[in-house]
Amino acid sequence: MQDMPPYSATTAMISGNRVLITGGQFTQHHYHGQKAAIDKLTDAIAPNAIHDSAARFDPPKCHPRTRVKILDEIMGRIVGQSQDMVVNPFLWLNGAAGAGKSAIAQSTIERCKERGLPLASFFFSKSDPTRNHAKPLVATLAYQLYQSFPGTEVQTEILSAITNEPLIFTKHIKQQFTTLVVQPLKTYFSRHKLPEHQTSFLIVIDGLDECIERASWKAILSGLADSVRDSNPCIHIFVASRPEYDLTQAFDSKDLKGIHTRLSLDLNRGSDVESDIKLYLSDQFEQIKDDCNNSSFFSPKLDQSWPGEEVIVKLARKSSGQFIYAATVIRYVTSARPQRPDRSLHIVLDLRPPDGDHPFAELDALYEKILGSCKDIEKVLDVLSLKMMWGLADWEVSLCEKVLSYEEGEVRRLFCDLSSLIELWQPSWSSDPNDTRLTILHASLSDYLLDKARSEQFHIDLRGKYIGRHMANGTSWVTHGCLAADPHPYPWNTHTHDPWVLHSWVMGYRHNV
């Protein structure tokens, strides 16, 4: 901006137009295209990432009367409803792909809005280039903070900070967040007292693992942690993501270790997830039935008992605690028009041929995206195919590594980026620190991998190359590994060359060690 000398005049000619000025002085300013601070702020945000954006119209949220316990616990840790409940600055909700994390985050936001709690959100999405990276994160949060405190010191502080440092949005996360979020809130609450320990501002970050810049994950978390560790007023940050290896490491680091609470949705035994899924399915099928039977265009009508308790129980169990399967079933049954919903459900249940339909297109796309991120997918498929041949729910990783001639620890390395679909865990009953088990979190993942039309390049053909490969590996391991250590471990003729006998021995070995 350039200031011109003041002029005393009664009349002035400006751009060829006559302007009458009665006495006094005027100053002419040339801005040379510089934007106001509020314009710089709005230019830097990602509108699609906000919880109520048009891009997220009708966002996933928890079905009524479902996920009540987890939502109550989250709210308690945000607002401190119970004196016995630890309220840390960070709350990390992690779970497998399709476990319902985004729905829980959205429902939490709606609960907080009902309470009048000011908040800001950022929903990452790998498929949306405006919100699949970290650059607009703080600006988007600061914009929502600005809107939450109209006509207050918060707005003045944010605009002043942008004016004083026009390049603030190019600075690192910690500096941006401290300058544009923490400091404005401190200024405001230095003059407007807040009850002790009450949350002044909530930040919800969903799908952090959807940020394509993996190096940004830890930078975001550590930057926010440094800013809020001793912050007063009380800012809480709720992060929902898959339990990716890098994120787990970040939350285990010294920056966040003592200031976060971790909640997991993965196969939480004893939880009410399966009953919630049954309730969701029952309500949705009831709605489908009502819509169809009340329509004059639908004939013959659906039976009042449709689809039946047995079908709902079967679908709920097949969901393996993951809402994505149940939601995909409902989405297919309701959208596969003009086909009748009962016939669409038959396709899902494999009671009739699919006739070219693809009931799990969205679920398959999710699996394809996750598997496509593997650095060594061939070895991953080797492990999974051997597990499927073995036919056990949970499976010793060390035995897999021996049969496949992998180095110790190689399976854990292979699956470190697949923790949203595959769980590696140590049994509570085992005292051996090396006793790691492998469990497929989604029952539907096996269906996907075994169906060539669905999985294509990730297809596991147990009658094709995999069985030959595993027979050779199993034979080699039996003859050169365990038989070398104990020549008579099993009551048969160990000199047989029948691969099926050796295969049966390998398959039965798990039960005899």
Side-chain angles (χ1 to χ4, degrees):
M1 179 179 69
Q2 180 179 353
D3 292 342
M4 302 297 292
Y7 294 87
S8 294
T10 55
T11 304
M13 185 73 74
I14 301 177
S15 301
N17 296 314
R18 293 187 179 275
V19 180
L20 180 65
I21 301 174
T22 305
Q25 295 182 329
F26 73 92
T27 303
Q28 184 176 353
H29 299 281
H30 294 275
Y31 288 91
H32 298 295
Q34 287 197 17
K35 292 184 177 180
I38 186 62
D39 294 327
K40 290 182 179 179
L41 176 60
T42 55
D43 285 349
I45 72 171
N48 290 358
I50 302 175
H51 58 270
D52 58 358
S53 71
R56 300 191 65 250
F57 175 72
D58 195 19
K61 53 188 174 184
C62 299
H63 188 70
R65 297 178 292 139
T66 66
R67 297 298 176 95
V68 174
K69 289 183 180 179
I70 188 69
L71 286 170
D72 285 346
E73 182 169 2
I74 289 171
M75 290 301 297
R77 295 191 182 277
I78 290 172
V79 301
Q81 291 174 327
S82 171
Q83 292 182 347
D84 299 329
M85 189 172 285
V86 176
V87 179
N88 283 318
F90 274 81
L91 176 62
W92 181 33
L93 177 71
N94 63 76
K101 301 178 295 299
S102 294
I104 290 173
Q106 185 73 28
S107 294
T108 298
I109 288 172
E110 294 182 4
R111 281 192 173 197
C112 290
K113 289 174 67 177
E114 290 173 0
R115 287 172 169 263
L117 177 64
L119 57 84
S121 62
F122 196 101
F123 284 73
F124 281 98
S125 174
K126 190 175 292 185
S127 60
D128 185 340
T130 69
R131 55 188 175 113
N132 65 4
H133 54 96
K135 185 177 180 180
L137 173 62
V138 176
T140 307
L141 299 177
Y143 171 80
Q144 293 169 83
L145 172 63
Y146 180 92
Q147 297 287 5
S148 297
F149 292 85
T152 67
E153 297 89 342
V154 170
Q155 291 192 341
T156 305
E157 284 276 335
I158 292 174
L159 297 182
S160 177
I162 296 171
T163 301
N164 293 335
E165 177 48 274
L167 298 180
I168 183 62
F169 300 117
T170 67
K171 306 300 181 182
H172 54 72
I173 295 286
K174 178 183 176 182
Q175 183 173 340
Q176 287 189 53
F177 192 72
T178 300
T179 303
L180 297 173
V181 176
V182 176
Q183 192 55 50
L185 282 171
K186 281 186 175 181
T187 300
Y188 178 81
F189 284 109
S190 67
R191 302 170 188 176
H192 307 270
K193 295 302 179 185
L194 188 73
E196 190 175 2
H197 303 306
Q198 181 175 326
T199 301
S200 64
F201 195 64
L202 171 67
I203 291 171
V204 178
I205 299 176
D206 178 75
L208 182 52
D209 53 283
E210 291 279 303
C211 175
I212 60 175
E213 304 156 333
R214 295 180 73 96
S216 296
W217 297 356
K218 185 174 182 179
I220 290 170
L221 293 174
S222 59
L224 299 186
D226 288 343
S227 300
V228 304
R229 181 175 285 103
D230 300 312
S231 69
N232 185 22
C234 195
I235 300 172
H236 281 102
I237 300 174
F238 173 28
V239 178
S241 75
R242 299 173 194 162
E244 302 291 356
Y245 176 79
D246 291 349
L247 288 174
T248 301
Q249 291 293 98
F251 275 104
D252 285 338
S253 68
K254 63 179 181 179
D255 291 331
L256 289 109
K257 196 172 185 66
I259 62 170
H260 83 275
T261 301
R262 190 175 306 193
L263 299 177
S264 176
L265 294 176
D266 284 340
L267 297 182
N268 188 4
R269 295 166 179 83
S271 73
D272 55 356
V273 176
E274 187 169 312
S275 63
D276 280 352
I277 292 176
K278 288 170 61 180
L279 175 61
Y280 166 77
L281 288 169
S282 296
D283 287 354
Q284 293 295 311
F285 280 127
E286 195 65 30
Q287 184 65 52
I288 293 169
K289 185 165 56 182
D290 287 348
D291 290 345
C292 290
N293 289 348
N294 289 327
S295 171
S296 58
F297 299 100
F298 188 85
S299 182
K301 305 299 183 185
L302 293 171
D303 190 88
Q304 285 302 312
S305 63
W306 181 83
E309 181 66 19
E310 183 179 344
V311 168
I312 290 173
V313 169
K314 180 178 181 180
L315 291 173
R317 288 179 178 169
K318 200 169 182 63
S319 296
S320 299
Q322 314 302 325
F323 264 87
I324 189 172
Y325 185 89
T328 303
V329 168
I330 295 300
R331 192 176 297 115
Y332 178 70
V333 169
T334 55
S335 65
R337 304 291 171 82
Q339 185 158 264
R340 291 171 56 93
D342 49 350
R343 292 175 182 169
S344 298
L345 183 57
H346 277 302
I347 294 175
V348 172
L349 295 171
D350 258 342
L351 298 180
R352 60 185 294 124
D355 296 328
D357 276 335
H358 193 1
F360 300 117
E362 293 188 44
L363 186 61
D364 291 356
L366 179 63
Y367 289 153
E368 181 181 358
K369 179 169 66 173
I370 296 171
L371 292 171
S373 68
C374 293
K375 296 181 177 64
D376 197 338
I377 188 61
E378 278 303 317
K379 283 191 173 182
V380 165
L381 295 178
D382 266 352
V383 173
L384 293 178
S385 59
L386 183 58
K387 175 182 168 26
M388 290 177 185
M389 279 185 174
W390 215 289
L392 297 172
D394 53 71
W395 190 50
E396 291 99 330
V397 167
S398 61
L399 185 57
C400 165
E401 291 172 339
K402 291 175 183 176
V403 173
L404 296 177
S405 299
Y406 286 177
E407 295 179 359
E408 184 177 348
E410 188 166 0
V411 167
R412 181 173 291 279
R413 178 185 63 78
L414 287 171
F415 285 87
C416 69
D417 292 329
L418 290 175
S419 53
S420 57
L421 300 177
I422 310 294
E423 183 180 29
L424 296 175
W425 54 285
Q426 182 178 353
S428 58
W429 63 83
S430 175
S431 58
D432 182 1
N434 296 317
D435 184 5
T436 302
R437 308 296 176 96
L438 184 149
T439 298
I440 296 177
L441 291 175
H442 293 206
S444 54
L445 176 62
S446 297
D447 295 342
Y448 167 79
L449 291 171
L450 294 173
D451 187 338
K452 186 175 182 179
R454 292 176 62 188
S455 53
E456 297 181 351
Q457 72 269 30
F458 304 121
H459 172 53
I460 291 178
D461 183 2
L462 295 182
R463 299 182 177 222
K465 66 176 182 179
Y466 289 104
I467 192 168
R469 186 181 304 173
H470 295 326
M471 289 301 302
N473 287 331
T475 301
S476 176
W477 173 64
V478 169
T479 55
H480 300 103
C482 56
L483 288 185
D486 183 355
H488 303 290
Y490 205 74
W492 74 23
N493 176 8
T494 57
H495 296 292
T496 182
H497 295 288
D498 182 352
W500 285 104
V501 175
L502 288 174
H503 176 264
S504 299
W505 189 90
V506 172
M507 295 301 142
Y509 181 82
R510 161 64 176 78
H511 300 285
N512 297 282
V513 292

